[in-house]
Amino acid sequence: MTGGPVTKSAKIVRTYEAAGDVLGPIGSVVLAARELSWSRHVLWHLFKRDFVAGFRQKLLGYLWIVLVPLLGIASFVFMQLTGILNPGDTEIPYPIFVYVGTTVWGIFVTALSVVANGLIANSDLVMRTNIPKIGLAVTGLASLCYNLFVNVIVLILLLFVFGRLPSIWVVLYPLTVLPIIALGVGIGLMLSVVGAVARDVTGMFVTLINLVMYVTPVVYTAQFANPALQQVVFWNPLTYLIDTPRTIIVLGAASYWPGYLAATLFSGIVLWIGVHAFYLIKDKVTERL
Protein backbone atom coordinates (compact mmCIF):
# COMPACT_ATOMS: atom_id res chain seq x y z
CA MET A 1 0.00 0.00 0.00
CA THR A 2 1.39 3.25 -1.01
CA GLY A 3 0.64 6.57 0.51
CA GLY A 4 1.06 10.16 -0.38
CA PRO A 5 4.27 12.08 0.18
CA VAL A 6 5.24 12.55 3.81
CA THR A 7 5.55 16.17 4.78
CA LYS A 8 7.14 17.48 7.92
CA SER A 9 5.20 19.94 9.96
CA ALA A 10 6.67 23.37 9.63
CA LYS A 11 8.27 24.85 12.73
CA ILE A 12 6.96 28.14 13.86
CA VAL A 13 9.68 30.47 15.01
CA ARG A 14 8.62 33.43 17.06
CA THR A 15 10.89 36.37 17.57
CA TYR A 16 10.19 38.66 20.50
CA GLU A 17 11.29 42.24 20.36
CA ALA A 18 10.72 45.22 22.59
CA ALA A 19 7.80 46.99 21.06
CA GLY A 20 5.37 49.66 21.91
CA ASP A 21 4.53 53.19 21.05
CA VAL A 22 7.12 55.80 21.82
CA LEU A 23 5.68 57.77 24.69
CA GLY A 24 5.93 61.50 25.03
CA PRO A 25 6.79 63.14 28.36
CA ILE A 26 3.12 63.50 29.31
CA GLY A 27 2.30 59.94 28.25
CA SER A 28 5.15 58.58 30.35
CA VAL A 29 3.83 60.26 33.49
CA VAL A 30 0.27 59.06 32.84
CA LEU A 31 1.44 55.49 32.23
CA ALA A 32 3.60 55.58 35.37
CA ALA A 33 0.60 56.65 37.46
CA ARG A 34 -1.54 53.87 35.98
CA GLU A 35 1.06 51.16 36.50
CA LEU A 36 1.72 52.20 40.09
CA SER A 37 -2.02 52.14 40.77
CA TRP A 38 -2.44 48.69 39.18
CA SER A 39 0.42 47.17 41.17
CA ARG A 40 -0.09 48.94 44.50
CA HIS A 41 -1.11 45.80 46.42
CA VAL A 42 1.88 43.79 45.23
CA LEU A 43 4.23 46.69 45.94
CA TRP A 44 2.85 47.04 49.46
CA HIS A 45 3.58 43.37 50.22
CA LEU A 46 7.09 43.72 48.79
CA PHE A 47 7.69 46.72 51.02
CA LYS A 48 6.58 44.87 54.16
CA ARG A 49 8.79 41.92 53.26
CA ASP A 50 11.89 44.06 52.72
CA PHE A 51 11.26 46.27 55.74
CA VAL A 52 10.85 43.41 58.21
CA ALA A 53 13.79 41.48 56.74
CA GLY A 54 16.03 44.54 56.98
CA PHE A 55 15.51 45.02 60.71
CA ARG A 56 14.94 41.46 61.92
CA GLN A 57 18.68 40.78 62.07
CA LYS A 58 19.57 43.99 63.93
CA LEU A 59 20.51 43.63 67.60
CA LEU A 60 18.34 46.61 68.59
CA GLY A 61 15.54 45.79 66.18
CA TYR A 62 13.34 48.67 65.09
CA LEU A 63 14.97 51.08 67.57
CA TRP A 64 18.02 51.11 65.31
CA ILE A 65 16.27 53.49 62.93
CA VAL A 66 16.01 56.00 65.81
CA LEU A 67 19.60 55.62 66.98
CA VAL A 68 21.26 55.92 63.57
CA PRO A 69 20.48 59.65 63.00
CA LEU A 70 21.40 60.50 66.61
CA LEU A 71 24.73 58.73 66.27
CA GLY A 72 25.22 60.41 62.91
CA ILE A 73 25.13 63.93 64.38
CA ALA A 74 27.43 63.09 67.29
CA SER A 75 30.62 63.77 65.32
CA PHE A 76 29.40 67.16 64.07
CA VAL A 77 28.27 68.21 67.55
CA PHE A 78 31.65 67.17 68.97
CA MET A 79 33.54 69.17 66.33
CA GLN A 80 31.33 72.20 66.99
CA LEU A 81 31.87 71.99 70.75
CA THR A 82 35.64 71.71 70.37
CA GLY A 83 35.83 74.56 67.85
CA ILE A 84 37.01 72.39 64.95
CA LEU A 85 33.79 73.20 63.07
CA ASN A 86 32.39 76.72 62.91
CA PRO A 87 28.85 76.41 61.52
CA GLY A 88 28.00 80.11 61.95
CA ASP A 89 24.99 81.63 63.68
CA THR A 90 22.37 78.87 63.50
CA GLU A 91 19.68 80.74 65.57
CA ILE A 92 18.72 77.39 67.12
CA PRO A 93 20.72 74.89 69.22
CA TYR A 94 23.28 73.27 66.96
CA PRO A 95 22.26 69.63 67.71
CA ILE A 96 18.76 70.45 66.45
CA PHE A 97 20.16 72.34 63.45
CA VAL A 98 22.45 69.51 62.37
CA TYR A 99 19.86 66.80 63.15
CA VAL A 100 17.29 68.27 60.78
CA GLY A 101 19.90 69.00 58.12
CA THR A 102 21.41 65.51 58.14
CA THR A 103 18.06 63.73 58.24
CA VAL A 104 16.72 65.69 55.27
CA TRP A 105 19.96 65.03 53.41
CA GLY A 106 19.67 61.36 54.34
CA ILE A 107 16.13 61.26 52.95
CA PHE A 108 17.43 62.63 49.63
CA VAL A 109 20.29 60.14 49.36
CA THR A 110 18.06 57.24 50.45
CA ALA A 111 15.40 58.09 47.86
CA LEU A 112 18.06 58.33 45.15
CA SER A 113 19.82 55.10 46.15
CA VAL A 114 16.80 52.83 46.63
CA VAL A 115 15.28 53.87 43.31
CA ALA A 116 18.61 53.64 41.46
CA ASN A 117 19.14 50.08 42.76
CA GLY A 118 15.49 49.05 42.66
CA LEU A 119 15.61 47.06 39.42
CA ILE A 120 18.86 45.30 40.30
CA ALA A 121 17.59 44.43 43.78
CA ASN A 122 14.40 42.97 42.25
CA SER A 123 16.04 41.45 39.16
CA ASP A 124 14.35 38.07 39.75
CA LEU A 125 10.93 39.72 39.70
CA VAL A 126 11.84 41.73 36.61
CA MET A 127 12.75 38.50 34.79
CA ARG A 128 9.89 36.29 35.98
CA THR A 129 6.85 38.50 36.51
CA ASN A 130 4.95 41.20 34.71
CA ILE A 131 4.98 43.59 37.66
CA PRO A 132 5.57 47.08 36.19
CA LYS A 133 9.27 47.88 36.29
CA ILE A 134 8.67 51.37 37.64
CA GLY A 135 6.85 49.81 40.60
CA LEU A 136 9.81 47.58 41.38
CA ALA A 137 12.13 50.57 41.06
CA VAL A 138 10.27 52.61 43.68
CA THR A 139 9.32 49.82 46.10
CA GLY A 140 11.96 50.87 48.63
CA LEU A 141 10.48 54.37 48.93
CA ALA A 142 7.76 53.15 51.25
CA SER A 143 10.30 52.92 54.08
CA LEU A 144 10.70 56.71 53.88
CA CYS A 145 7.22 57.10 55.33
CA TYR A 146 8.33 55.31 58.50
CA ASN A 147 11.60 57.25 58.56
CA LEU A 148 9.75 60.56 58.31
CA PHE A 149 7.47 59.64 61.19
CA VAL A 150 10.39 58.63 63.39
CA ASN A 151 12.33 61.77 62.45
CA VAL A 152 9.44 63.98 63.58
CA ILE A 153 9.16 62.16 66.92
CA VAL A 154 12.92 62.42 67.58
CA LEU A 155 12.91 66.09 66.55
CA ILE A 156 10.12 66.92 68.99
CA LEU A 157 12.03 65.14 71.77
CA LEU A 158 15.18 67.12 70.95
CA LEU A 159 13.23 70.38 71.02
CA PHE A 160 11.93 69.61 74.50
CA VAL A 161 15.39 68.55 75.70
CA PHE A 162 16.76 71.95 74.66
CA GLY A 163 13.79 73.82 76.13
CA ARG A 164 12.18 74.90 72.88
CA LEU A 165 8.56 74.48 71.95
CA PRO A 166 8.07 72.91 68.53
CA SER A 167 6.52 75.17 65.92
CA ILE A 168 2.95 74.36 64.92
CA TRP A 169 4.36 73.96 61.41
CA VAL A 170 6.18 70.80 62.49
CA VAL A 171 3.14 68.87 61.22
CA LEU A 172 4.07 70.05 57.70
CA TYR A 173 7.51 68.46 57.88
CA PRO A 174 6.58 65.52 55.60
CA LEU A 175 5.17 67.95 53.02
CA THR A 176 8.17 70.27 53.06
CA VAL A 177 10.55 67.41 52.22
CA LEU A 178 8.47 66.13 49.29
CA PRO A 179 10.41 68.25 46.75
CA ILE A 180 13.77 66.79 47.81
CA ILE A 181 12.26 63.28 47.66
CA ALA A 182 11.02 64.05 44.14
CA LEU A 183 14.51 65.18 43.16
CA GLY A 184 16.02 61.96 44.51
CA VAL A 185 13.41 59.81 42.74
CA GLY A 186 13.94 61.61 39.42
CA ILE A 187 17.69 61.12 39.52
CA GLY A 188 17.25 57.56 40.80
CA LEU A 189 14.93 56.59 37.92
CA MET A 190 17.52 57.73 35.40
CA LEU A 191 20.25 55.83 37.22
CA SER A 192 18.10 52.69 37.61
CA VAL A 193 17.99 52.00 33.87
CA VAL A 194 21.52 53.23 33.18
CA GLY A 195 22.87 51.32 36.17
CA ALA A 196 21.35 48.08 34.92
CA VAL A 197 23.65 48.37 31.90
CA ALA A 198 26.71 49.94 33.55
CA ARG A 199 26.51 49.00 37.21
CA ASP A 200 29.38 51.17 38.36
CA VAL A 201 27.58 54.36 37.32
CA THR A 202 25.25 54.39 40.34
CA GLY A 203 28.05 53.99 42.86
CA MET A 204 30.09 56.73 41.20
CA PHE A 205 27.14 59.11 41.16
CA VAL A 206 26.24 58.49 44.82
CA THR A 207 29.86 59.24 45.74
CA LEU A 208 29.64 62.48 43.76
CA ILE A 209 26.38 63.42 45.48
CA ASN A 210 28.00 62.92 48.89
CA LEU A 211 30.65 65.45 47.86
CA VAL A 212 27.88 67.92 46.99
CA MET A 213 26.92 67.87 50.68
CA TYR A 214 29.98 70.04 51.38
CA VAL A 215 28.56 72.88 49.24
CA THR A 216 25.11 72.49 50.80
CA PRO A 217 24.25 74.04 54.20
CA VAL A 218 23.55 70.72 55.90
CA VAL A 219 25.81 71.17 58.91
CA TYR A 220 26.52 74.90 58.60
CA THR A 221 24.70 78.11 57.71
CA ALA A 222 24.80 79.55 54.20
CA GLN A 223 26.94 82.54 55.13
CA PHE A 224 30.41 82.90 53.60
CA ALA A 225 32.99 85.66 53.27
CA ASN A 226 34.14 84.18 49.95
CA PRO A 227 31.87 85.62 47.19
CA ALA A 228 32.51 82.73 44.78
CA LEU A 229 31.59 80.11 47.37
CA GLN A 230 28.56 82.15 48.38
CA GLN A 231 27.33 82.09 44.76
CA VAL A 232 27.80 78.31 44.52
CA VAL A 233 25.67 77.78 47.61
CA PHE A 234 23.12 80.39 46.47
CA TRP A 235 22.52 78.64 43.12
CA ASN A 236 22.47 75.16 44.63
CA PRO A 237 18.80 74.03 44.75
CA LEU A 238 19.58 71.65 47.62
CA THR A 239 20.36 74.71 49.75
CA TYR A 240 16.69 75.66 49.84
CA LEU A 241 15.31 72.11 49.85
CA ILE A 242 17.18 71.47 53.12
CA ASP A 243 17.24 74.85 54.83
CA THR A 244 13.56 75.74 54.27
CA PRO A 245 12.08 72.63 55.97
CA ARG A 246 14.47 73.21 58.87
CA THR A 247 13.50 76.84 59.43
CA ILE A 248 9.79 76.19 58.93
CA ILE A 249 9.47 73.35 61.45
CA VAL A 250 11.79 74.88 64.05
CA LEU A 251 11.36 78.65 63.68
CA GLY A 252 7.94 78.71 62.02
CA ALA A 253 9.14 80.80 59.05
CA ALA A 254 10.89 80.08 55.76
CA SER A 255 14.29 81.66 55.24
CA TYR A 256 13.86 82.33 51.50
CA TRP A 257 10.56 81.39 49.84
CA PRO A 258 11.50 82.28 46.23
CA GLY A 259 14.51 79.97 46.38
CA TYR A 260 12.43 77.12 47.82
CA LEU A 261 9.73 77.50 45.17
CA ALA A 262 12.31 77.63 42.38
CA ALA A 263 14.03 74.53 43.79
CA THR A 264 10.66 72.77 44.02
CA LEU A 265 10.00 73.54 40.35
CA PHE A 266 13.46 72.23 39.49
CA SER A 267 12.73 68.99 41.41
CA GLY A 268 9.46 68.53 39.53
CA ILE A 269 11.23 68.93 36.19
CA VAL A 270 13.93 66.42 37.17
CA LEU A 271 11.24 63.93 38.26
CA TRP A 272 9.41 64.43 34.97
CA ILE A 273 12.60 63.86 32.98
CA GLY A 274 13.44 60.83 35.12
CA VAL A 275 10.06 59.16 34.49
CA HIS A 276 10.29 59.81 30.75
CA ALA A 277 13.89 58.57 30.53
CA PHE A 278 12.88 55.44 32.47
CA TYR A 279 10.19 54.52 29.97
CA LEU A 280 12.45 55.21 27.01
CA ILE A 281 15.08 52.72 28.19
CA LYS A 282 13.26 50.24 30.44
CA ASP A 283 12.62 47.67 27.69
CA LYS A 284 16.38 47.19 27.30
CA VAL A 285 16.86 46.45 31.00
CA THR A 286 15.69 42.81 31.13
CA GLU A 287 18.29 41.54 28.70
CA ARG A 288 21.03 43.23 30.74
CA LEU A 289 20.09 41.88 34.16
Side-chain angles (χ1 to χ4, degrees), residues 164-178:
R164 299 182 67 95
L165 291 176
S167 166
I168 192 173
W169 299 107
V170 73
V171 297
L172 296 181
Y173 176 60
L175 295 179
T176 58
V177 298
L178 282 180

Side-chain angles (χ1 to χ4, degrees), residues 63-281:
L63 289 178
W64 189 251
I65 201 172
V66 180
L67 296 178
V68 166
L70 293 178
L71 294 174
I73 69 172
S75 59
F76 296 109
V77 173
F78 175 78
M79 288 189 291
Q80 187 263 343
L81 291 175
T82 57
I84 299 174
L85 174 65
N86 180 17
D89 183 13
T90 60
E91 297 186 61
I92 57 179
Y94 185 67
I96 298 175
F97 180 91
V98 73
Y99 174 77
V100 180
T102 54
T103 51
V104 176
W105 179 263
I107 286 170
F108 168 62
V109 175
T110 299
L112 190 157
S113 300
V114 297
V115 174
N117 294 304
L119 293 181
I120 296 175
N122 294 291
S123 58
D124 56 333
L125 295 176
V126 173
M127 300 288 291
R128 300 177 183 179
T129 69
N130 62 350
I131 299 174
K133 293 183 180 67
I134 194 169
L136 296 174
V138 302
T139 300
L141 284 179
S143 62
L144 287 179
C145 299
Y146 185 82
N147 291 344
L148 284 171
F149 175 76
V150 172
N151 289 340
V152 172
I153 299 300
V154 175
L155 174 60
I156 292 174
L157 292 176
L158 280 176
L159 288 170
F160 279 115
V161 166
F162 286 92
R164 299 182 67 95
L165 291 176
S167 166
I168 192 173
W169 299 107
V170 73
V171 297
L172 296 181
Y173 176 60
L175 295 179
T176 58
V177 298
L178 282 180
I180 201 168
I181 294 175
L183 180 61
V185 171
I187 298 173
L189 285 173
M190 288 183 272
L191 290 175
S192 66
V193 286
V194 175
V197 178
R199 300 199 176 186
D200 57 341
V201 172
T202 300
M204 293 169 58
F205 193 87
V206 171
T207 300
L208 178 63
I209 284 294
N210 286 328
L211 294 177
V212 175
M213 175 180 168
Y214 294 103
V215 291
T216 305
V218 176
V219 299
Y220 56 79
T221 59
Q223 304 294 329
F224 300 96
N226 188 316
L229 187 56
Q230 183 68 48
Q231 287 299 311
V232 170
V233 175
F234 178 80
W235 290 105
N236 180 3
L238 289 168
T239 295
Y240 310 100
L241 296 179
I242 288 178
D243 197 52
T244 300
R246 179 166 49 200
T247 56
I248 286 179
I249 63 179
V250 178
L251 300 177
S255 55
Y256 189 62
W257 272 113
Y260 179 72
L261 294 177
T264 299
L265 177 61
F266 174 76
S267 299
I269 294 173
V270 171
L271 177 60
W272 188 7
I273 294 173
V275 171
H276 185 52
F278 183 89
Y279 277 98
L280 288 178
I281 311 173

